[in-house]
Structure formats: structure tokens, C-alpha cells
């Protein structure tokens, strides 16, 4: 059944959020702060691992780095586009609307929890590759694996940040659902090189999410999302 992967991934996020909500409410502020720190460090290293995989390689027995220009240009131009569109503001407005409509108007952390968790579980190659495979072949194995990872991530985030994390299931369902429907059109674009660029820049954005979890919000990560599109587009530029 095409689209089953998106359903499973969405269900995994809802399950993780439900369990996190059940146990998180029983933890005092000290434990919640500790969980928030643990979650932040985990997200940082997930981002570092993905970024280093894309930038470092062994050549002639020595470790060398590359893709620096891609990272700088993608992030800089992506930030300009994102700030102009104000993607972060759109996320926050939707979060505030959800906050009221779901009866959580008094939850001061709801919007930050929603935006942070949404960015963590939406950004990355697994969502795109898994959705395309599901849409073309009906193979949802990648999204099932992602569902398990997201369940754990959202569970911990909900314990530390609150109920807003559960609603990250909405952007994931919309994003992966659209990719699944459009899979046949996107497949020629998502070459191996394009996916490598996407994974690299996406991992850097995940690292930025970790920074925001550990310290007061420093980076408007949602406004950097266009950089992922630019990283993919860079593969098709006529540059030798």
C-alpha cells in the first residue's frame, strides 16, 4: 500500500509523544532540564555525524575535508531567502494557532516545542528517500526505520519540552505525504550526489536544532530550510 510509510511514521511520532506526555508530567523540573540537555547533546551529535560523513573522506591514506564552499554558499543564500520569506514566522504562527485550537493556550513552551521537534524529525535524507521509495515501489522500510527513531526522539523531547512536540506529526504527515504523491516526478532529481548534498546540509541544520535545545534560541533554523533546496540544485549547475 503506497503511503503506508507516512502513516507508520506519523503514528510513531504520536506514540512517542503520548508516552513522553504520560511520563514527562511526572518528572520535576530538574529531571526535565536533564532530559532536555541529553536530547540537545544527542541531536548535536546526530547532526555532527551526518555532516562529517559528507565533508570528510580518506584519500591516499590521509583524512581530508571538502564541500566547504557548498556549505557556505547554501547556508548563506538559504538564510537570505528564508529570512525574506520568514519561514520561521510561518511555523510559529501555525504553532500559535495549534496552541489555541488544542486547548493549550497557557502552555508557554508549546510553540517552541512544536517548531523544534518538527524541524528535528522533518529535516534529513531519510524522509525524502523513504517517501520516494514508498511512492514508486511501495517500499516503506526506510520510513519504518525513521518511525522508530522519531518515536524515541519525540518521546524524550516531549518529556522535556512538553505536549507541543506531539504535533510535529502534522508537518511530517504533510511533507512525507506530498513527497510520496510526487515521487515519480522527484525521482530523476534525487540523484546520489543530490542526496549526499541534502544529507550534508540537512545534518548541519539538525546540529543547529541541537544548539537551540542546549542554549537559548540562537539560530532561526526554519529560515535556513531553503539551503537544503539550494544544496540539491547545486548538483545540476554547469560547474566543473
Amino acid at each position: 500500500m503506497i503511503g503506508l510509510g507516512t502513516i507508520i511514521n506519523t503514528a510513531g511520532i504520536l506514540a512517542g509523544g503520548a508516552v513522553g506526555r504520560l511520563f514527562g508530567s511526572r518528572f520535576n523540573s530538574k529531571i526535565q532540564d536533564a532530559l532536555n540537555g541529553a536530547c540537545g547533546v544527542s541531536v548535536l551529535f546526530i547532526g555532527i555525524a551526518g555532516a562529517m560523513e559528507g565533508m570528510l573522506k580518506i584519500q591516499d591514506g590521509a583524512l581530508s575535508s571538502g564541500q566547504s564552499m557548498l556549505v557556505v554558499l547554501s547556508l548563506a543564500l538559504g538564510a537570505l531567502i528564508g529570512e525574506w520569506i520568514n519561514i520561521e514566522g510561518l511555523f510559529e504562527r501555525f504553532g500559535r494557532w495549534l496552541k489555541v485550537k488544542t486547548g493549550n493556550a497557557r502552555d508557554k513552551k508549546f510553540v517552541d516545542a512544536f517548531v523544534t521537534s518538527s524541524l528535528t524529525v522533518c529535516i534529513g535524507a531519510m524522509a525524502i528517500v523513504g517517501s520516494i521509495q514508498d511512492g514508486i515501489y511501495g517500499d516503506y522500510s526506510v520510513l519504518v526505520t525513521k518511525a522508530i527513531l522519531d518515536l524515541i526522539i519525540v518521546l524524550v523531547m516531549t518529556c522535556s519540552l512538553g505536549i507541543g512536540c506531539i504535533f510535529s506529526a502534522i508537518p511530517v504527515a504533510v511533507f512525507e505525504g506530498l513527497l510520496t504523491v510526487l515521487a515519480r516526478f522527484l525521482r530523476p532529481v534525487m540523484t546520489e550526489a543530490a542526496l549526499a548534498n541534502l544529507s550534508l546540509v540537512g545534518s548541519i541544520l539538525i546540529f543547529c536544532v541541537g544548539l537551540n535545545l542546549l542554549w537559548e534560541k540562537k539560530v532561526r533554523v526554519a529560515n535556513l530550510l531553503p539551503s537544503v533546496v539550494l544544496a540539491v540544485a547545486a548538483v545540476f549547475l554547469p560547474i566543473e
Side-chain angles (χ1 to χ4, degrees):
M1 174 185 168
I2 292 176
L4 185 58
T6 299
I7 295 171
I8 293 172
N9 197 173
T10 303
I13 291 171
L14 291 173
V19 175
R21 181 63 175 170
L22 177 65
F23 289 99
S25 59
R26 301 182 182 183
F27 296 150
N28 59 36
S29 58
K30 203 171 182 180
I31 296 176
Q32 288 181 354
D33 287 343
L35 284 171
N36 189 62
C39 191
V41 171
S42 300
V43 172
L44 275 179
F45 275 92
I46 290 171
I48 290 171
M52 291 302 97
E53 185 178 357
M55 296 186 74
L56 300 180
K57 59 182 178 180
I58 297 176
Q59 197 170 34
D60 299 325
L63 190 65
S64 61
S65 63
Q67 302 285 53
S68 299
M69 189 62 69
L70 170 73
V71 170
V72 172
L73 289 177
S74 295
L75 290 176
L77 293 175
L80 287 174
I81 296 169
E83 289 290 340
W84 177 62
I85 300 172
N86 193 17
I87 301 172
E88 187 96 6
L90 296 175
F91 261 98
E92 290 176 349
R93 279 199 290 275
F94 182 60
R96 286 193 291 270
W97 180 83
L98 275 177
K99 178 180 176 180
V100 174
K101 293 298 181 181
T102 57
N104 293 286
R106 295 184 179 181
D107 186 350
K108 295 180 180 179
K109 296 195 295 183
F110 185 96
V111 176
D112 279 341
F114 168 72
V115 174
T116 300
S117 58
S118 294
L119 291 171
T120 303
V121 296
C122 278
I123 301 171
M126 286 185 80
I128 294 175
V129 173
S131 298
I132 290 175
Q133 287 184 350
D134 191 7
I136 296 175
Y137 306 112
D139 177 6
Y140 49 84
S141 57
V142 173
L143 289 183
V144 170
T145 303
K146 181 176 179 292
I148 296 170
L149 295 173
D150 289 351
L151 186 154
I152 297 169
I153 290 170
V154 172
L155 190 160
V156 177
M157 281 190 166
T158 305
C159 286
S160 59
L161 298 177
I163 196 172
C165 298
I166 299 175
F167 295 93
S168 60
I170 296 174
V172 166
V174 173
F175 180 59
E176 292 180 357
L178 283 174
L179 287 178
T180 300
V181 172
L182 299 173
R184 295 187 185 277
F185 300 100
L186 292 172
R187 187 186 178 193
V189 177
M190 301 313 298
T191 62
E192 187 175 337
L195 286 171
N197 284 3
L198 183 150
S199 181
L200 168 58
V201 176
S203 294
I204 293 173
L205 299 194
I206 290 174
F207 175 85
C208 294
V209 172
L211 287 178
N212 287 344
L213 280 169
L214 286 175
W215 293 280
E216 286 187 19
K217 196 170 184 179
K218 302 291 184 183
V219 184
R220 291 191 289 272
V221 182
N223 284 349
L224 292 176
L225 286 175
S227 62
V228 177
V229 178
L230 294 175
V232 172
V235 173
F236 302 97
L237 294 177
I239 300 174
E240 295 185 0

